[in-house]
Amino acid sequence: MKFCDRNDKLQEECGIVSLYNIKEATELSVKALLSLQHRGQQACGMYLYNEDASRLIKNTGLVSEVFKEVPFFSVSYDNAVGHVRYATSGTNRSIDAQPFLTSVNGKKLILAHNGHILNQSNLRSYLISEGQEFETNSDSEILLLYLKNNLEKNKSLQFAISELLHNISGAFSVVGVFGEVMFAFRDSKGFRPLVLGQKINPDQSVGYVIVSETCALEMIEATYTCDIKPGELCLIQNSKAIFIQILKPDKTAMCSFEYIYFSRSDSMVFEKSVYETRLKFGEWLAQEEGLELGKIDLVIAVPDSGTAAAIGYAQKLNKPFHIGLVKNAYVGRTFIASGQSNRKDMVKLKLNALQGSIRGKSIIVIDDSLVRGTTSHQIVEILKKRGAREVHLRIASPPIRYSCYFGVDTPEAKDLIANQLSLVEMNRLIGSHSLRFLSWNGYLNVLSEKNKYCVACFNGDYPLAISEKSFHNISYVKEKREILV
Ligand code: SF4
C-alpha cells in the first residue's frame, strides 16, 4: 500500500445556525458561524431578515472573508439562518453555498442543512417529474424543493416536513424559515447534532438560537435549553417554540465520531461533554497500554484534537505531558489546496516538533484517529529527525475500516490504512516504534449508552440501507478484510 497524499482526516460536514428575535442578530450570527468554522471551511452564507427587509449573503471562503462587510450594514436584522459548508455533495461554487432560498405562494422559504441524503437520485427524478427545477447538485436543494413541492400543494408546513421525514433517507439536521415561522428538525436516527438555546434581549423579550454545537451558544451568550430530538420538529412563531415528535426513533444512530474529531472540545454534543469523552478515550488507552512504563519519558499530542486524550492518557499513567508538536494556525486548507506547496511538505508546514521537549526522549504520541496514515508517517519522521529516541504512536479511537455515507467525507475503503493493513504492517509503514489503537471494548465503554450511536466507520454495521454503489463498496471491503485478518 502506498500513502495517498490527500488531506489525512475525515472531513467535517457542515455547521448550521438560526437566530429568532435576537437583537443584533447580524453580528451575533456571524460570531456563531465563526465558532462553527471547524465544521466547514469551503463556503458559508447567511439569510438575514426583519419584517420589512431581508438580505442573502453567501460565497466560497471563510466566515471572516465572506462577512467582512457586516460591520458596515446600514440595516440591523433580528433573525438569521446561516451555514458553514464542507461539500460532501455537489460542487464548491458560490451558488452551492447555503442557505438556499426560494419562494412559495409569495412567502420566502429558506433552508440550511447538515448531513447527506441517501436516496438522492429517486428524489431528484420525482421532483423533476413534479415540475421542480434544480440549480445545483446539492442534496440540500432536494430538501428545499421537496418542501416547496408540498407547500405548493397547500399542505401545512408541519405536514410538509412530516412527509419529508417519512420519505427522505439519510442524515439531516435542518434549520429554515417559511414566511414568519422558523423551523428546525433532525432525521429519525439523529446522526448530526442540533441544539436549541435562548437569549434574553435588553428589552427582556426572549430570543431563540438553534445551532449545531453548544460552543456557538456560548459564543453569543445564549443559554442551552435542549437538544432537538431525533425525528423531532421545532417550530418557532409568535415568540414561542413548540416541539412535535414526528417520527418515534426506534433506534438512534448519533455519529460517535463527533466525539473523536468533528466537534469542538468545548461543546456538549448529544448531551455529553466532548472534552470529558476525549479525556476518557485517553484514560482507556492508557489502561490498555502494553509498553513497559519505564520506557516512556513523556506524552505528547497531535494538536488539537489529540490533546484531551493525551492529557487523559498521561494522567492515568502518571507520566509528564508536554507540548511536543507546535501547530501553525495560519496555514489554512485554502493554501494547501491551492498547490502552492509540495504536498509532501504539508505536514511540515502545519506542524513542527519542539526539539527541547523531545530530544533524546522516548515519547508516546497521541492522535485522535488514523485515516490514511500519511500525516502520522510524516509526524513520526519529524519527531525522529528532531532527536526523539523512540516514537510510539497511540490512536484514541478504534481503526477506521469503512467509509461513511452520512455526511462525512471519508476516503474510499481501499485508501483507509486500517482497511488494508494489519497492525504490524501499519506500524512498519508509518515508521513508529510501536502502534496501538483504543480497543473496541474501550471505545464502547466510554460511549456508555452504546446502542444510541453510529459506529459504522469502525465495524461496517450501517444503521440505514445505503445505495447500490455503496453496497458494492462494502462487499469489496469485506473481501479485503478476509485476506488481511
Ligand atoms: Fe459518524 Fe462514522 Fe457513523 Fe459516519 S459512519 S456517521 S463518521 S460514526
Side-chain angles (χ1 to χ4, degrees):
M1 182 187 183
K2 281 188 181 161
F3 284 120
C4 171
D5 63 359
R6 286 178 54 201
N7 195 3
D8 194 18
K9 284 284 177 201
L10 299 192
Q11 298 303 310
E12 293 109 335
E13 335 78 7
C14 294
I16 50 180
V17 161
S18 71
L19 276 71
Y20 176 93
N21 185 36
I22 301 276
K23 298 297 164 236
E24 299 178 358
T26 315
E27 291 80 3
L28 294 178
S29 52
V30 174
K31 286 183 180 172
L33 280 184
L34 274 170
S35 67
L36 296 178
Q37 185 79 84
H38 60 287
R39 297 185 76 86
Q41 297 95 36
Q42 291 185 335
C44 56
M46 185 102 68
Y47 179 74
L48 296 156
Y49 69 101
N50 276 340
E51 263 176 40
D52 45 11
S54 64
R55 183 168 190 159
L56 178 66
I57 314 148
K58 56 181 192 172
N59 210 338
T60 54
L62 298 170
V63 173
S64 56
E65 295 157 359
V66 174
F67 298 109
K68 58 178 181 266
E69 304 297 335
V70 162
F72 309 109
F73 284 1
S74 53
V75 179
S76 168
Y77 298 93
D78 295 337
N79 310 287
V81 174
H83 189 267
V84 286
R85 178 169 196 252
Y86 179 85
T88 56
S89 177
T91 47
N92 189 36
R93 304 162 299 166
S94 58
I95 195 176
D96 300 304
Q98 297 185 41
F100 285 118
L101 166 69
T102 187
S103 63
V104 185
N105 305 331
K107 286 185 187 173
K108 283 185 176 149
L109 173 65
I110 297 101
L111 181 142
H113 158 230
N114 171 202
H116 182 73
I117 306 303
L118 290 167
N119 53 337
Q120 283 190 44
S121 48
N122 288 345
L123 289 162
R124 201 170 273 274
S125 311
Y126 162 71
L127 290 167
I128 290 170
S129 74
E130 290 277 292
Q132 299 297 337
E133 289 177 15
F134 284 88
E135 290 180 3
T136 72
N137 290 323
S138 164
D139 56 350
S140 309
E141 197 182 11
I142 294 175
L143 295 172
L144 180 88
L145 294 185
Y146 192 92
L147 283 185
K148 182 184 183 194
N149 198 48
N150 276 349
L151 293 166
E152 280 176 347
K153 293 175 180 166
N154 292 321
K155 294 177 182 173
S156 69
L157 178 62
Q158 182 182 328
F159 194 83
I161 292 173
S162 172
E163 278 212 341
L164 184 152
L165 278 159
H166 280 93
N167 293 321
I168 294 193
S169 174
F172 47 90
S173 283
V174 172
V175 290
V177 182
F178 180 53
E180 307 289 300
V181 186
M182 190 164 265
F183 61 84
F185 57 88
R186 274 170 87 193
D187 64 82
S188 62
K189 295 283 176 197
F191 284 100
R192 302 285 146 229
L194 195 62
V195 298
L196 172 79
Q198 291 188 6
K199 184 170 170 66
I200 307 297
N201 289 305
D203 64 2
Q204 299 305 303
S205 63
V206 179
Y208 294 95
V209 185
I210 301 174
V211 288
S212 296
E213 289 181 39
T214 57
C215 65
L217 293 179
E218 285 161 21
M219 167 62 78
I220 62 171
E221 313 234 325
T223 50
Y224 168 82
T225 306
C226 61
D227 279 31
I228 311 281
K229 291 193 198 118
E232 186 175 61
L233 165 65
C234 173
L235 295 173
I236 305 176
Q237 63 187 125
N238 302 325
S239 299
K240 284 204 177 105
I242 57 162
F243 300 89
I244 305 152
Q245 189 70 52
I246 304 269
L247 284 179
K248 282 231 155 60
D250 49 348
K251 191 175 181 306
T252 58
M254 302 176 194
C255 173
S256 62
F257 219 93
E258 292 281 351
Y259 296 118
I260 297 169
Y261 175 70
F262 301 145
S263 293
R264 260 174 53 161
S265 292
D266 53 341
S267 283
M268 296 286 291
V269 165
F270 311 134
E271 302 177 327
K272 196 176 357 207
S273 157
V274 174
Y275 180 73
E276 295 290 331
T277 308
R278 288 181 185 164
L279 269 184
K280 284 185 192 155
F281 287 151
E283 287 169 8
W284 263 93
L285 196 55
Q287 249 167 252
E288 295 168 346
E289 184 53 73
L291 211 61
E292 201 185 301
L293 292 188
K295 281 187 89 178
I296 305 170
D297 292 320
L298 67 118
V299 179
I300 68 167
V302 177
D304 295 313
S305 48
T307 305
I311 292 170
Y313 180 97
Q315 282 174 348
K316 191 79 189 173
L317 293 187
N318 207 15
K319 290 286 173 185
F321 169 74
H322 282 244
I323 304 285
L325 289 161
V326 178
K327 190 174 168 183
N328 182 346
Y330 301 97
V331 180
R333 290 180 195 190
T334 320
F335 177 78
I336 287 162
S338 70
Q340 292 176 66
S341 69
N342 179 336
R343 281 177 177 269
K344 281 194 177 163
D345 289 339
M346 221 186 267
V347 176
K348 271 199 235 158
L349 274 169
K350 280 171 33 178
L351 292 171
N352 193 21
L354 204 62
Q355 207 158 323
S357 291
I358 61 164
R359 178 166 288 282
K361 305 274 173 46
S362 178
I363 50 181
I364 297 277
V365 189
I366 311 277
D367 205 351
D368 61 273
S369 56
L370 190 61
V371 182
R372 295 181 176 87
T374 331
T375 308
S376 307
H377 169 67
Q378 292 181 32
I379 286 171
V380 169
E381 208 170 59
I382 291 169
L383 290 167
K384 283 182 182 169
K385 261 194 196 155
R386 296 283 182 275
R389 184 160 44 84
E390 286 184 19
V391 181
H392 301 273
L393 182 62
R394 298 291 178 265
I395 308 295
S397 60
I400 303 169
R401 295 197 168 109
Y402 302 91
S403 290
C404 174
Y405 300 93
F406 310 114
V408 175
D409 188 15
T410 333
E412 281 183 53
K414 69 178 173 51
D415 290 326
L416 293 167
I417 188 170
N419 178 278
Q420 298 287 300
L421 303 180
S422 68
L423 190 68
V424 173
E425 288 167 327
M426 284 188 268
N427 187 41
R428 192 178 306 132
L429 198 67
I430 289 168
S432 38
H433 286 82
S434 71
L435 170 67
R436 185 180 277 266
F437 290 83
L438 177 63
S439 71
W440 185 238
N441 185 39
Y443 188 58
L444 295 182
N445 262 292
V446 174
L447 292 177
S448 65
E449 295 162 274
K450 52 195 175 199
N451 291 332
K452 78 178 197 184
Y453 296 106
C454 175
V455 287
C457 46
F458 304 112
N459 69 358
D461 187 5
Y462 291 96
L464 287 176
I466 47 184
S467 71
E468 250 183 64
K469 186 167 166 263
S470 311
F471 276 123
H472 176 71
N473 201 2
I474 295 167
S475 61
Y476 166 78
V477 172
K478 286 195 169 147
E479 201 177 290
K480 278 283 175 196
R481 288 298 312 151
E482 277 159 26
I483 297 165
L484 293 169
V485 170

